[in-house]
Structures are given as structure tokens and as C-alpha cells.
């Protein structure tokens, strides 16, 4: 855990977090933040596509099915906890559920950097699992929102377009396709941009994420102690499910660590966009503060070493 804190990527996040808490004037210009977001999504997808081009498709089938299972069961568990224990209303339960069933591409990038730092191997198709987990998890959240939460009419075509063709999923899928078509032999011209510069640009992105997290900390009193606890305990539950599934489908220690981290992460890009349409009556303070203000920093600083520890014990 201490080694993870000393990683430059994590330290950049901490620098941004402290700067936000101290109310300094540090900030990244909005256009740069948007460019970094696009870059990370394309780079993650592209690297996954190259890895997929070198993988044997038959080896992906069971991990893919296991990932889809996680994307279905995790939001259901989250919804039950929020409704039965937290006593949240249906709208807010559905919205928060979608965030905790979905995934964080940035958290994925950090766990990959963590494994690379310690030279821990992992399967070369983990980005595919990222995409596979994103879609069903949001779909389940939408179904819960439609049938259990939303009271007013909304446009299903607009919702489908927002989810399936929103920036995060679209760029990830396109990156995977381009990387798969090109393969490793045709990547030399962009290797410096998408591979060598990846960790450095990720660090600057996390600097901004630290600032955003600090701004959300002021909302912690509003979301209540239960939701703060949920933002820590739910990732541990999801991470344990991901670890078990990773072991059952035959992933390595590194691959199981990645799947556990994906399962434990919470979305703050794709899910908010979907929930704004599906459940407009839900309070964004609840789901954004929990996912970005609690779960995101917990996973980066404490969670990832825990998920690796889980994987190393069971695999």
C-alpha cells in the first residue's frame, strides 16, 4: 500500500487533492482536461485492441462471460443495499446503482500502471473486459431506472444513443477496433504517443481529478454517513466478486487483480450521462459525490493493493 502511495501517478492525484482542499488557484484549463480524457480513452482502447490481436479468441470466452455476469449481479446487489439498508428512494437508488455497476477507465489505467510497476503479468485482453463490463452494468442501471424509478416519460432512442454512443464507450470501442486492425507491427509511428507518454499524461489527468475530488468533499455532509460507508464497502464487495469470478474463469493473479479493480470501480463519465436522461429526478450530489469523492480516491490509494492481495491469495 505504501509503495502504491509513492507511485508518481498517485502522488499527482494527492497533489491535486491537497491543492483543492487548501483552495489554491491551481487548475488545468478545461480544454486540456477534455483532451486528456479523450487521449486516455483512445489509448486504453488502442492498447487493448493490440493485445486482443495477439490473443487466442477461445481463451477470452469464459472471462468475457464472467465479466458480463459481474456487470449484471453487481448493480443488483448495490440496489438492494441502497433500498433495504440505506432506505434511499427508488430514483436515487437506481442512479447510484448504475454508477457502481459501471466502471472507471481511469481506475483501470491506474491498476495497469500498478501491475507494470511491479512487473506483474496479466492477460492481454483486459481492455476488452473493461468494455464488456461497462455496457451491461449501465444497461441494468437503466432497466432499474425505467421500471423501478422513473415516473415520467423519456426518449428511449436518445437514452440508447447516450449510452452506446457516448464518448467513453465510443472511444474505447473504436480504440479497440483500430488497435486490433493495425496490430503491433503497424504501431511504431504512434508508439511514443499512445504507449511511452501514457503514464505521464495519466499523471496530469489525475492531478485534475484530485482537484475535482477535493471540490466534492464539501458535499460529504449532505450525502450522509451511510453513503460514505457505502462508497467504501461496496467496492470491497464488488472487488471480492471480481476476484472470485477471475479465479473461476482461470485468470492469472494480475488478470484477476484487474477484473477485481474493474468490478470495484465506479463510473463518473458514462453513468452520469445516462442517469441524467433515465432518472432526472435523482440527486447528482448523491451519485457523483459517492463515486468521485469517496470510491475513486479509496480505490486509487487503498483499494488496488487490497484487490491485488485478494487475487494473490485465491489464485
Amino acid at each position: 500500500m505504501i509503495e502504491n502511495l509513492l507511485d508518481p501517478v498517485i502522488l499527482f492525484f494527492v497533489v491535486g487533492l491537497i491543492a483543492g482542499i487548501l483552495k489554491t488557484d491551481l487548475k488545468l484549463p478545461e480544454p486540456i482536461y477534455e483532451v486528456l480524457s479523450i487521449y486516455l480513452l483512445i489509448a486504453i482502447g488502442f492498447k487493448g485492441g493490440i493485445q486482443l490481436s495477439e490473443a487466442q479468441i477461445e481463451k477470452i470466452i469464459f472471462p468475457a462471460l464472467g465479466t458480463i455476469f459481474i456487470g449484471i449481479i453487481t448493480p443488483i446487489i448495490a440496489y438492494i443495499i441502497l433500498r433495504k439498508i440505506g432506505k434511499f428512494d427508488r430514483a436515487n437508488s437506481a442512479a447510484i446503482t448504475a454508477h457502481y455497476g459501471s466502471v472507471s477507465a481511469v481506475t483501470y489505467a491506474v491498476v495497469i500502471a500498478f501491475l507494470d510497476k511491479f512487473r506483474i503479468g496479466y492477460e492481454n485482453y483486459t481492455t476488452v473486459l473493461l468494455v464488456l463490463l461497462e455496457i451491461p452494468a449501465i444497461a441494468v442501471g437503466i432497466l432499474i431506472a425505467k421500471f423501478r424509478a422513473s415516473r415520467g416519460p423519456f426518449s428511449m432512442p436518445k437514452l440508447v444513443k447516450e449510452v452506446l454512443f457516448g464518448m467513453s464507450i465510443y472511444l474505447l470501442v473504436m480504440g479497440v477496433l483500430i488497435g486490433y486492425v493495425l496490430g503491433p507491427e503497424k504501431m511504431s509511428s504512434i508508439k511514443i504517443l499512445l504507449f511511452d507518454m501514457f503514464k505521464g499524461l495519466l499523471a496530469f489527468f489525475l492531478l485534475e481529478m484530485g482537484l475535482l475530488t477535493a471540490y466534492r468533499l464539501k458535499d460529504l455532509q449532505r450525502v450522509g454517513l451511510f453513503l460514505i460507508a457505502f462508497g467504501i464497502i461496496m467496492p470491497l464487495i464488488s472487488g471480492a466478486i471480481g476476484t472470485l469470478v477471475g479465479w473461476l474463469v482461470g485468470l492469472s493473479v494480475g488478470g484477476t487483480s484487474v477484473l477485481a479493480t474493474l468490478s470495484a470501480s465506479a463510473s463518473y463519465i458514462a453513468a452520469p450521462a445516462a442517469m441524467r436522461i433515465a432518472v432526472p429526478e435523482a440527486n447528482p450530489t448523491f451519485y457523483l459525490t459517492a463515486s468521485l469523492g469517496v470510491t475513486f480516491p479509496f480505490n486509487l490509494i487503498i483499494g488496488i493493493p487490497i484487490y491485488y492481495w485478494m487475487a494473490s491469495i485465491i489464485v
Side-chain angles (χ1 to χ4, degrees):
M1 189 178 299
I2 298 299
E3 285 292 330
N4 193 44
L5 282 172
L6 295 178
D7 187 282
V9 170
I10 303 299
L11 289 177
F12 266 68
F13 174 80
V14 174
V15 168
L17 182 65
I18 294 174
I21 293 173
L22 296 178
K23 302 186 184 303
T24 70
D25 57 357
L26 174 65
K27 66 177 180 178
L28 289 183
E30 186 66 26
I32 293 179
Y33 174 72
E34 293 179 359
V35 168
L36 288 175
S37 301
I38 293 171
Y39 166 81
L40 289 176
L41 290 166
I42 291 178
I44 289 171
F46 187 84
K47 291 197 291 185
I50 289 178
Q51 293 169 350
L52 183 62
S53 70
E54 300 176 305
Q56 296 177 309
I57 300 299
E58 61 272 14
K59 292 185 177 181
I60 304 178
I61 295 176
F62 286 114
L65 292 174
T67 301
I68 293 172
F69 169 77
I70 294 172
I72 295 172
I73 195 65
T74 299
I76 293 175
I77 293 173
Y79 183 79
I80 292 172
I81 293 174
L82 289 163
R83 285 289 286 148
K84 302 300 183 182
I85 302 177
K87 305 299 181 182
F88 279 79
D89 60 50
R90 290 180 178 179
N92 284 301
S93 295
I96 298 168
T97 287
H99 288 69
Y100 281 84
S102 187
V103 295
S104 163
V106 177
T107 307
Y108 168 82
V110 175
V111 72
I112 293 300
F114 172 86
L115 295 174
D116 289 342
K117 176 183 177 180
F118 294 104
R119 302 182 185 276
I120 301 167
Y122 50 89
E123 282 71 15
N124 57 1
Y125 48 79
T126 53
T127 306
V128 179
L129 303 184
L130 166 66
V131 176
L132 286 176
L133 187 58
E134 179 89 81
I135 296 174
I138 290 183
V140 171
I142 290 170
L143 287 174
I144 292 175
K146 179 181 178 182
F147 295 110
R148 302 289 292 174
S150 186
R151 298 173 183 173
F154 63 90
S155 171
M156 180 57 73
K158 183 179 180 182
L159 185 60
V160 171
K161 180 181 178 181
E162 186 73 25
V163 174
L164 296 183
F165 298 101
M167 182 181 75
S168 58
I169 293 178
Y170 178 78
L171 290 177
L172 283 170
V173 171
M174 289 299 104
V176 169
L177 291 177
I178 293 172
Y180 181 79
V181 171
L182 292 180
E185 65 278 357
K186 297 180 181 179
M187 58 165 278
S188 58
S189 60
I190 55 176
K191 179 178 180 294
I192 293 177
L193 176 64
L194 294 181
F195 284 78
D196 298 342
M197 296 176 61
F198 180 81
K199 192 167 183 178
L201 293 176
L202 173 62
F204 276 99
F205 183 84
L206 287 177
L207 176 68
E208 177 67 11
M209 292 305 298
L211 289 167
L212 291 176
T213 300
Y215 299 149
R216 283 286 168 191
L217 291 179
K218 67 179 183 297
D219 294 327
L220 289 180
Q221 287 183 328
R222 295 180 59 190
V223 301
L225 290 177
F226 172 82
L227 199 53
I228 295 172
F230 176 85
I232 296 173
I233 295 172
M234 187 63 210
L236 295 175
I237 295 173
S238 303
I241 294 173
T243 301
L244 180 60
V245 171
W247 170 64
L248 289 174
V249 301
L251 293 179
S252 64
V253 172
T256 300
S257 301
V258 173
L259 186 58
T261 302
L262 288 175
S263 305
S265 65
S267 173
Y268 45 82
I269 298 176
M275 289 303 104
R276 279 199 301 268
I277 298 173
V279 200
E281 65 268 35
N283 187 347
T285 298
F286 290 155
Y287 55 73
L288 285 177
T289 304
S291 62
L292 186 57
V294 180
T295 299
F296 181 73
F298 170 78
N299 278 334
L300 257 61
I301 298 172
I302 300 173
I304 290 175
I306 292 176
Y307 310 138
Y308 170 69
W309 172 76
M310 288 181 180
S312 63
I313 287 178
I314 195 173
V315 177

